[in-house]
């Protein structure tokens, strides 16, 4: 498998992700959007920070179950329930300071949204990996 991450010089600089991710792989791994739910199904406490930590742990668990690592991630979409750019920035900073950080060097999208599927859910992350 090869993953090539590219930032064409004609495009703006990024805060860590790459504009283009090219993949040659035998297998793609697509995770369902990972929510801030604990193993028993209850929503993680601690507001946006606590929910983000739970999503990180859920993604690490799901990737491991698929035989993949954060370095194998080729695409992420991060949904945050907030109109405030500071909240989005705080999530990006927390993700990049976590063991999941290599996943966010690839093609990534960060969005502020009105709501997500579970009551009081503040974050969800969609992940695709290649093996």
């Amino acid at each position: 498998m090869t993953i090539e991450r590219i930032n064409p010089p004609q495009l703006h600089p990024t805060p860590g992700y790459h504009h283009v991710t090219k993949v040659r792989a035998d297998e793609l791994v697509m995770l369902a959007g990972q929510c801030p739910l604990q193993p028993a199904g209850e929503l993680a406490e601690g507001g946006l920070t606590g929910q983000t930590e739970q999503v990180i742990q859920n993604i690490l668990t799901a990737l491991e179950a698929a035989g993949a690592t954060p370095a194998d991630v080729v695409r992420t979409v991060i949904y945050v329930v907030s109109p405030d750019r500071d909240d989005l920035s705080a999530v990006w900073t927390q993700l990049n300071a976590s063991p999941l950080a290599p996943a966010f060097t690839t093609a990534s999208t960060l969005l502020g949204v009105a709501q997500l599927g579970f009551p009081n859910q503040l974050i969800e992350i969609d992940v695709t990996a290649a093996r």
Side-chain angles (χ1 to χ4, degrees), residues 12-107:
H12 66 85
T14 70
Y17 66 88
H18 286 81
H19 286 287
V20 179
T21 302
K22 292 173 46 177
V23 180
R24 289 179 195 248
D26 294 326
E27 181 176 54
L28 285 178
V29 176
M30 288 162 253
L31 305 185
Q34 292 300 296
C35 300
L37 298 180
Q38 298 172 336
E42 58 285 325
L43 191 66
E45 295 181 3
L48 188 54
T49 301
Q51 288 191 23
T52 300
E53 180 57 34
Q54 186 65 54
V55 169
I56 291 166
Q57 294 309 311
N58 292 350
I59 291 169
L60 290 169
T61 298
L63 287 172
E64 183 178 355
T69 70
D72 298 321
V73 172
V74 297
R75 177 89 173 118
T76 62
V77 181
I78 306 153
Y79 304 93
V80 179
V81 176
S82 178
D84 187 345
R85 263 197 193 91
D86 289 341
D87 288 341
L88 277 66
S89 180
V91 166
W92 184 254
T93 298
Q94 183 177 353
L95 292 171
N96 280 286
S98 78
L100 191 56
F104 303 103
T105 64
T106 195

